[in-house]
Every structure is written in C-alpha cells, then in structure tokens.
Amino acid sequence: MRAMILEAPDNPLRSVEVPVPEPGPEQVLLRVHTCAVCRTDLHVVDGELPDPKLPLIPGHQIVGSVVRSGDLVDRFAAGDRLGVPWLGFTDNTCRYCLTGRENLCDHARFTGYQIDGGFAEYAVADHRFCFPLPEGYPDLQAAPLLCAGLIGYRSLRMTSDAERLGLYGFGAAAHIIAQVARHQGRKVFAFTSPGDTEAQQFALKLGAAWAGDSTQPPPEELDAAIIFAPVGTLVPAALRAVAKGGVVVCAGIHMSDIPSFPYEILWGERAVRSVANLTRRDGEEFLALAPRVPVHTEVVPFPLEKANEALKALRAGEIQGAAVLVVDRHLTPV
Ligand SMILES: [Zn+2]
Ligand SMILES: [Zn+2]
C-alpha cells in the first residue's frame, strides 16, 4: 500500500510502498477514506513531542471502512464506516482508567504517534477505541470531528457554563467549537494572529460576536478562554481578559514557554488548566451532539501524496477550517 512515513523528526514525510498491516485479535483493518491533519501531527513531525514510533505513519483523524476484523472483534462488520481518534489504547487497570479518566492513562498509546495512523491507504485500529460516525457527514467533513471536534469539545466542557467565551487561535478546533458554543447560547470572541483578517472574517461568519487580534483586549470581560494556538504568551493575555473566577484552558499538546506574569492576573480565583487527550465518552457525546448543532466543518482537501504540502500550509496558518487528506482514490487492492 501507499503510505506517507516519517523516518526521523524534522524531515519531510516520504511516500513509500509498505505491506498492508494485518489486524491483531482486537483490531480492525480499515480502508482509509480520509484523514484530517491536526496541529499535533505538526508537533510530531517537527520533533516537538518525544519518542514517536519510527518509522511512523502519522494521522489520527481517520475515516475508513472495515475490510476485515481480528477474532475478538464483535462490534463491527465488514463495510462499516468508522472513525479512529488520537486515543488508540489504554491499559484499563491504572488509577486513571479506574476512575473515568482514561485520557490520563499511565500506559495510553496514541494513533499517529505510538501507533501507525491514517496517512496511508490502510490502517489497523483497536475496535474498542473506534467510533461509528454520524451518517449526515461525508468522509471529508467527518474527519475533522475526530480530533479538532473531540478535543475541542472536551476543552469546551472545561469552561462549564461560561457565557462569554474567548477562543485564541481560530483554526480547525475553534471553527467547530464556535458553532457548538453558539448552539449552547454562549457569546464567542475570536482572537487570531495580529492582522489575520481572513480568519477574523471566518469567525464572524460562524457566529462570533467579535473577532480581533490576540494582542488586543476583547470589548468586554470573558468568563472563560480556550487557547488552541501553541503560543505560551497567550496565557497571560487570556488571564488578563477573563473575569474573576474565569478559567483559561490550554487545549494543545505542546506550547511554547509561558512567560512569568504578575500574581494579580491570576488572583480572584482565576484558573489555568490544560486538557489532555480524550476519553471514549467525550467521543460518544460529541459525535451525538455534532449533527444536532449541526456542526458544519469547512475543509481544505489534499491528496495523500501532498501530505507535506498540507502540513506546510497548516504550519503557515493558511488553512481555513481543517486540512484533510483524501486517500482512497487510487487504492491498492488487498
Ligand atoms: Zn489532533
Ligand atoms: Zn490506564
């Protein structure tokens, strides 16, 4: 099969022919239809996350259909369309798993990082971590729901019932979460890189009450902020923007260093927290909610062989919505 592989961090992905993987007893073999590209893929490729499997097939927002299954798979049949998210394995025995926090599992393994992902014509995945996908979403539009949507949704939950919500970085996750937040009756304030008027227009089109530069204060106090951009200087900026009792949620897996800041901007019971990974419950909740909003995902398609161009465009902030690799056009038969 054709696959885009990372041989060493900081190198472009290489297009290679590799054998189609064999599903283990708990795994399904999927024909990959589409795979969305996430900022976490960039962090892996750029060597900002430690110890990836090498060589690695990146990609953790896979839409595919079941070709065949291992002996212990009882949930899905050949032909079923599934989504494969970032969380690819948990031990089910550690203190985190036993208390409903499998996103923090001591032995978790992640798709497109420690497990080969979806930048390939076929992928294997543990069926216990796959999701059935809502029917109204074509393959291209469904893919970004699987990380931008899921982890964005978990981040939104961490803001509880905050009414005035700031979103820092208006990329794949924010464009989905803005729609969910509006659906829930919240008021959205979108912050972008200074001068990115295109992203600001996009945010306003999706129902944001205000959109502006991240260096600016919002026109009114916020009750919570979610930082999607991997930029540590946004943490004190967001703390300054939130009201007493407000929370600043850092939603990314990697961020540049956070500069020191005066205690007074944290005072007043403001909080800073991160969001790590997802639980399967997050996935089930969000995939049931998305069609009810309904969330529309804006996508920029790239053919599989152009994965490097997709990563480059994402790095440069040129993608409006989510970049998605289209995989199943010239498929090697198995
Ligand atoms: Zn992701
Ligand atoms: Zn565990």
Side-chain angles (χ1 to χ4, degrees):
M1 68 172 184
R2 176 67 42 188
M4 298 298 291
I5 62 162
L6 178 72
E7 286 172 330
D10 262 329
N11 281 286
L13 305 181
R14 221 156 61 79
S15 174
V16 294
E17 282 290 327
V18 294
V20 172
E22 270 303 312
E26 297 274 16
Q27 288 180 321
V28 286
L29 172 66
L30 299 170
R31 179 166 78 85
V32 179
H33 301 181
T34 57
C35 186
V37 182
C38 174
R39 183 160 291 279
T40 299
D41 299 316
L42 268 188
H43 294 315
V44 171
V45 170
D46 292 347
E48 288 164 335
L49 296 181
D51 307 321
K53 166 191 181 293
L54 288 175
L56 171 73
I57 301 173
H60 58 269
Q61 304 185 77
I62 307 171
V63 176
S65 52
V66 176
V67 176
R68 59 173 177 267
S69 303
D71 292 343
L72 300 177
V73 176
D74 51 10
R75 288 175 70 208
F76 303 111
D80 285 357
R81 188 175 77 139
L82 304 181
V84 183
W86 170 245
L87 185 69
F89 176 81
T90 58
D91 58 16
N92 228 6
T93 55
C94 76
R95 56 200 295 258
Y96 299 102
C97 285
L98 295 177
T99 52
R101 296 179 292 165
E102 64 179 0
N103 60 309
L104 302 177
C105 175
D106 282 331
H107 302 103
R109 299 203 304 141
F110 300 103
T111 312
Y113 183 32
Q114 287 120 353
I115 304 169
D116 278 332
F119 290 8
E121 291 176 320
Y122 295 89
V124 290
D126 188 315
H127 71 108
R128 294 166 295 186
F129 294 86
C130 296
F131 298 112
L133 292 169
E135 277 176 13
Y137 287 88
D139 295 336
L140 263 175
Q141 280 72 26
L145 299 176
L146 288 160
C147 185
L150 292 193
I151 293 183
Y153 173 72
R154 183 173 178 85
S155 308
L156 181 64
R157 268 211 347 240
M158 299 304 171
T159 68
S160 3
D161 55 359
E163 192 196 330
R164 298 165 299 177
L165 176 72
L167 301 177
Y168 286 77
F170 206 83
H175 102 284
I176 292 174
I177 289 319
Q179 297 173 55
V180 178
R182 289 285 301 119
H183 171 76
Q184 294 173 337
R186 306 177 197 236
K187 201 168 170 186
V188 173
F189 298 79
F191 298 81
T192 73
S193 317
D196 190 353
T197 50
E198 239 173 281
Q200 291 167 12
Q201 287 307 318
F202 184 45
L204 293 171
K205 198 182 93 186
L206 291 174
W210 174 91
D213 295 353
S214 58
T215 48
Q216 277 182 291
E220 55 187 292
E221 275 190 323
L222 307 175
D223 300 308
I226 306 175
I227 303 180
F228 291 114
V231 181
T233 52
L234 292 174
V235 173
L239 273 173
R240 285 194 164 88
V242 298
K244 286 182 280 189
V247 62
V248 173
V249 180
C250 303
I253 194 168
H254 173 84
M255 192 180 241
S256 56
D257 285 354
I258 300 168
S260 70
F261 52 82
Y263 181 55
E264 66 182 80
I265 66 173
L266 183 64
W267 175 247
E269 301 197 340
R270 293 174 180 87
V272 177
R273 68 167 303 159
S274 64
V275 158
N277 314 315
L278 67 135
T279 64
R280 283 171 278 184
R281 204 184 129 202
D282 296 327
E284 283 150 18
E285 278 182 28
F286 174 69
L287 291 170
L289 174 64
R292 292 207 311 268
V293 169
V295 170
H296 295 281
T297 56
E298 183 120 346
V299 301
V300 182
F302 290 84
L304 174 63
E305 317 81 78
K306 302 272 185 205
N308 287 309
E309 279 83 341
L311 290 168
K312 197 174 145 209
L314 182 60
R315 195 181 286 112
E318 290 165 4
I319 302 288
Q320 195 160 90
V324 180
L325 301 184
V326 179
V327 181
D328 62 353
R329 288 177 322 152
H330 320 285
L331 210 60
T332 315
V334 282

